Amino acid sequence: MCGIVGYVGNKENCVRVLIDGLEKLEYRGYDSAGIAFLNNDNIDVVKEKGKIVNLKSKIDLNINSNLGIGHTRWATHGNATKENAHPHKVGAITVVHNGIVENYNELKKDLINKGYVFNSETDTEVVAALIDYIYKKEKDMLKTIQKVKELLTGSYALGIICDDNLDTLYTLKNKSPLIIGVNENENYIASDVPAILDKTRNYIVLEDKDYASIKSDGVKIYHDGKEKDFEVKEFLYDANSVDKQGYEHFMLKEMNEQPEVFKNTTTPYLKNGIDSLIEKMPDFTKYERIRIVACGSATHAGLVGKCMIEKYANVEVMVETASEFRYKKQFLKNDELVIVVSQSGETADTLEALLIAKQNGNDTLGIVNAKGSTIARESKMVLYTEAGQEIAVATTKAYSAQVALLSLIALNLSCKKNLIDKKEMLDILRDVKKLPDYIEELLNRRDEYKKIAEEIKDYNDVFFIGRGVDYALAQEGSLKLKEISYTHSEAYAAGELKHGTISLIEDKTPVIAVITDDDIALKTISNVKEVKSRGANVICITNKNLSNDSNLYDKKIVIPKVNDLFEPLLTVIPLQMIAYELAKLKECSIDKPRNLAKSVTVE
Ligand code: F6R
């Protein structure tokens, strides 16, 4: 949540760097935004409610400045107002912050007693006051930050400017992501590399409780009062990934990248058939069961993974929501592998679940998209999804890559345990080659999705039903629809409807039925008949040759039949596209849905 960018240097116009960076980070928060920059020996602060364009209209982009910090906010403490927007300046100190300071109330009371007056409801203004208070005594920013670090609890990535050191940018971080971008005669800070990608590809990842002083000609990183060594990494993603490349939305672009993402994710494991599949993955056969923990769509990917691992590898899999898992009795067994799934690799609840599993002594595997992210670093084993940078808040290509990788784990285990016969393996390898074309063909059927969007646009509720893996996919379809089109929807295990929910079905209520799983399709079809006979407008997404019976459904989208292992990668395409077309029809903010942020770094 929230995006931070900062600049110190002599090469670029700082104000432009800040605004450009914030525009690239806007996917992290867009309630309000602000910048603070050096202007003729003073720090000027400009902030505005709403998106970055509102802020941009208030700023002269030609001001000559070589030091500054900027912030795009996803509100946690206090409403999305101009007063609560960052940066916050108190005395000599100006701060931008991503995270939640949990003990800010106590600190605030203490600082009020010391004479500080607060103008916002934020925890960030309290941090600025605290730094100012300690700095007045210490008169040394590094000693001050070292002390402040001991007083703060919670998560924070901070960009700090001190009026007395106007050639230096300071940072401090704990549990919220922060990188330092390095270049000749200039350096940057940012929540994420895309903010500075057109300036430099070289960056340093800060560890928790690290702090740094950054000048135009050098970076010094400290931990516990001592300077420490650091590694400069190179960002390897394609810079085009942060550009829409002619597509109307990032989401549309990212959905259209799915054929390529499937190839990139599967090829390393399948290029030499079983040999590479065995060689490239850790040995999972020693685990008696697997626990998958994640949030949102990543949990839905986990549910598909569960179906595949249980079916192909005969290993029990439990899937849990990280925000629930972390606060309950976990009952982790010694012989259990904990898999955490995360696109950003920074989701606070997922990270905490991972740390709990580690503390318990379990082996952990991170399925992560963002290279070098906290979850990737903290996991004992990592398998990267090769989805590239994902910008749209609603995940599409990263979800598909997660599903593909979990299916590969199922196949790996199945091969190692000799549970798959040669013929089925050959079928799978044949399908893997065809899948990118099939995905592309499904993506191109926009007219079909538009018609469905037209039909459901005037309804307040949409139901998704399915059984087995189709239920897992229904849950993802429902989440996509509600988050970007703001149409209420629920996903139900098809057999559960008659235990309550079917009372909501009225004349023309849209019901999207997912019917692909051979083992259970007939049962879902009878549930479809139940809703159809109560007036529902049924849209089937199926790989079955359903008879043209108008008593069964109103519309169908037929997807190609492939081996079950990778079928979900086809089924999900119409689900994503229907959500997209509906959101477009309703003129919603598709890439940045209201109230949401891409990287959920608070619990
Ligand atoms: C929905 C969506 C979210 C994320 C969830 C986990 O479209 O994108 O539900 O899947 O916030 O995020 P990561 O995968 O970054 O841990």
Side-chain angles (χ1 to χ4, degrees):
M1 338 228 73
C2 301
I4 288 179
V5 65
Y7 177 79
V8 55
N10 315 316
K11 280 167 75 179
E12 298 278 346
N13 167 340
C14 174
V15 173
R16 268 180 208 273
V17 168
L18 298 178
I19 295 293
D20 286 355
L22 290 181
E23 280 175 333
K24 300 209 176 79
L25 285 174
E26 204 175 15
Y27 66 91
R28 299 179 75 96
Y30 28 91
D31 292 340
S32 54
I35 61 170
F37 55 95
L38 180 61
N39 187 11
N40 291 330
D41 297 334
N42 282 320
I43 294 295
D44 284 0
V45 178
V46 186
K47 26 195 197 179
E48 203 46 60
K49 202 178 152 190
K51 297 192 175 169
I52 313 290
V53 280
N54 303 357
L55 175 70
K56 204 171 170 178
S57 69
K58 295 272 169 349
I59 291 174
D60 174 2
L61 293 173
N62 295 316
I63 291 173
N64 198 3
S65 170
N66 41 29
L67 175 77
I69 47 182
H71 188 267
T72 176
R73 180 167 185 249
W74 188 87
T76 55
H77 291 72
N79 295 341
T81 60
K82 189 169 163 180
E83 292 68 37
N84 289 334
H86 303 201
H88 289 281
K89 183 162 183 4
V90 180
I93 303 297
T94 312
V95 170
V96 287
H97 167 218
N98 172 17
I100 292 183
V101 173
E102 285 159 8
N103 60 337
Y104 87 105
N105 257 328
E106 303 153 38
L107 294 170
K108 190 170 183 174
K109 275 186 208 139
D110 198 35
L111 288 159
I112 288 172
N113 289 336
K114 291 188 165 91
Y116 281 89
V117 176
F118 292 92
N119 301 310
S120 78
E121 303 155 274
T122 64
D123 50 347
T124 308
E125 196 184 10
V126 175
V127 175
L130 180 68
I131 300 176
D132 181 66
Y133 177 73
I134 296 180
Y135 176 70
K136 277 191 181 127
K137 290 188 179 166
E138 294 290 337
K139 306 260 184 291
D140 176 304
M141 273 305 278
L142 290 174
K143 282 189 189 146
T144 300
I145 294 174
Q146 161 76 7
K147 288 209 162 150
V148 166
K149 176 174 68 86
E150 301 308 322
L151 297 172
L152 298 179
T153 51
S155 57
Y156 45 84
L158 297 168
I160 310 162
I161 293 176
C162 171
D163 284 357
D164 297 339
N165 304 318
L166 291 174
D167 60 349
T168 313
L169 201 58
Y170 296 95
T171 67
L172 164 65
K173 88 133 232 164
N174 186 42
K175 294 185 181 168
S176 291
L178 198 78
I179 57 112
I180 299 174
V182 289
N183 212 3
E184 213 176 305
N185 292 329
E186 58 178 11
N187 291 303
Y188 300 80
I189 58 167
S191 302
D192 206 349
V193 188
I196 52 167
L197 201 52
D198 51 353
K199 312 291 179 202
T200 178
R201 286 182 165 267
N202 300 324
Y203 68 102
I204 303 161
V205 179
L206 290 182
E207 302 288 332
D208 282 347
K209 306 267 173 98
D210 278 356
Y211 52 103
S213 80
I214 307 162
K215 294 184 194 284
S216 57
D217 58 355
V219 174
K220 288 187 175 174
I221 300 181
Y222 303 85
H223 195 93
D224 277 341
K226 291 197 190 90
E227 196 176 335
K228 65 177 244 189
D229 292 337
F230 53 82
E231 181 197 351
V232 178
K233 296 174 189 270
E234 194 188 340
F235 188 78
L236 297 172
Y237 286 144
D238 179 0
N240 289 335
S241 61
V242 288
D243 189 277
K244 278 194 218 139
Q245 291 182 292
Y247 284 98
E248 199 177 345
H249 298 99
F250 277 112
M251 184 178 174
L252 188 60
K253 170 183 173 258
E254 288 161 5
M255 287 190 292
N256 275 282
E257 285 167 355
Q258 288 175 110
E260 210 49 40
V261 166
F262 177 76
K263 274 191 231 161
N264 294 344
T265 301
T266 54
T267 306
Y269 299 100
L270 295 175
K271 64 177 171 218
N272 296 324
I274 295 183
D275 290 347
S276 40
L277 184 63
I278 306 280
E279 199 183 291
K280 296 262 171 191
M281 274 192 190
D283 180 13
F284 300 121
T285 50
K286 59 182 173 187
Y287 305 109
E288 279 301 311
R289 59 176 195 171
I290 294 177
R291 185 104 55 137
I292 300 178
V293 192
C295 295
S297 291
T299 315
H300 298 157
L303 289 169
V304 175
K306 169 186 164 73
C307 295
M308 297 309 162
I309 296 169
E310 290 186 344
K311 176 172 176 157
Y312 285 83
N314 203 22
V315 175
E316 186 193 2
V317 181
M318 294 164 74
V319 181
E320 300 209 44
T321 303
S323 54
E324 291 293 313
F325 174 88
R326 61 184 290 190
Y327 292 116
K328 70 184 230 333
K329 269 196 167 175
Q330 288 96 18
F331 296 108
L332 285 163
K333 303 261 185 336
N334 294 342
D335 52 7
E336 196 174 316
L337 170 68
V338 176
I339 302 183
V340 289
V341 185
S342 177
Q343 185 286 125
S344 61
E346 302 293 348
T347 302
D349 286 320
T350 311
L351 174 61
E352 196 54 39
L354 168 68
L355 298 178
I356 290 169
K358 273 174 77 176
Q359 268 156 23
N360 194 60
N362 287 84
D363 280 355
T364 55
L365 168 72
I367 294 188
V368 182
N369 195 44
K371 306 239 160 67
S373 56
T374 313
I375 292 178
R377 294 198 309 274
E378 292 286 347
S379 300
K380 180 170 179 193
M381 302 168 272
V382 191
L383 294 177
Y384 282 111
T385 45
E386 295 298 338
Q389 183 80 25
E390 196 177 58
I391 300 286
V393 165
T395 182
T396 52
K397 61 174 181 169
Y399 163 88
S400 288
Q402 290 162 353
V403 168
L405 209 41
L406 285 160
S407 300
L408 286 169
I409 290 176
L411 188 61
N412 167 291
L413 270 166
S414 184
C415 290
K416 280 201 159 158
K417 293 170 85 178
N418 283 325
L419 294 174
I420 191 158
D421 63 34
K422 213 169 169 185
K423 181 185 171 306
E424 187 165 12
M425 188 66 198
L426 288 174
D427 284 351
I428 290 171
L429 292 175
R430 185 202 56 214
D431 286 347
V432 165
K433 292 214 171 73
K434 291 188 192 155
L435 230 82
D437 288 343
Y438 287 162
I439 298 173
E440 194 161 335
E441 189 261 322
L442 279 167
L443 285 162
N444 290 337
R445 283 156 60 181
R446 282 189 69 177
D447 284 348
E448 286 179 60
Y449 312 129
K450 278 183 192 158
K451 275 191 198 130
I452 292 168
E454 281 287 353
E455 273 187 25
I456 61 182
K457 83 167 191 312
D458 296 325
Y459 290 85
N460 292 329
D461 309 290
V462 176
F463 293 92
F464 288 76
I465 59 171
R467 284 171 179 254
V469 73
D470 293 331
Y471 175 41
L473 287 151
Q475 290 178 73
E476 177 58 9
S478 168
L479 178 61
K480 280 290 90 82
L481 191 91
K482 65 189 135 197
E483 72 178 318
I484 62 164
S485 77
Y486 313 148
T487 297
H488 170 250
S489 84
E490 297 296 337
Y492 274 90
E496 269 293 293
L497 281 178
K498 53 182 153 306
H499 298 289
T501 315
I502 204 161
S503 67
L504 291 168
I505 303 294
E506 296 174 346
D507 195 32
K508 297 273 181 295
T509 303
V511 175
I512 299 183
V514 185
I515 316 175
T516 68
D517 188 340
D518 288 336
D519 297 339
I520 199 98
L522 286 176
K523 300 286 173 197
T524 312
I525 289 172
S526 42
N527 300 131
V528 168
K529 285 183 184 150
E530 288 161 9
V531 288
K532 183 70 197 138
S533 62
R534 283 160 182 85
N537 175 15
V538 176
I539 297 138
C540 287
I541 297 176
T542 184
N543 56 14
K544 306 274 164 282
N545 190 9
L546 297 183
S547 67
N548 280 335
D549 181 354
S550 60
N551 292 322
L552 179 58
Y553 60 87
D554 298 272
K555 276 211 162 47
K556 71 175 167 185
I557 294 180
V558 180
I559 58 175
K561 174 81 194 108
V562 293
N563 184 284
D564 293 354
L565 186 70
F566 290 119
E567 182 85 52
L569 292 155
L570 300 181
T571 320
V572 77
I573 303 294
L575 294 167
Q576 295 170 344
M577 290 296 289
I578 291 170
Y580 175 80
E581 295 297 352
L582 181 61
K584 192 159 158 357
L585 208 58
K586 291 176 79 177
E587 294 180 3
C588 298
S589 167
I590 293 184
D591 285 335
K592 295 169 196 156
R594 69 179 173 219
N595 305 338
L596 293 176
K598 181 73 182 159
S599 188
V600 186
T601 50
V602 294
E603 66 173 293

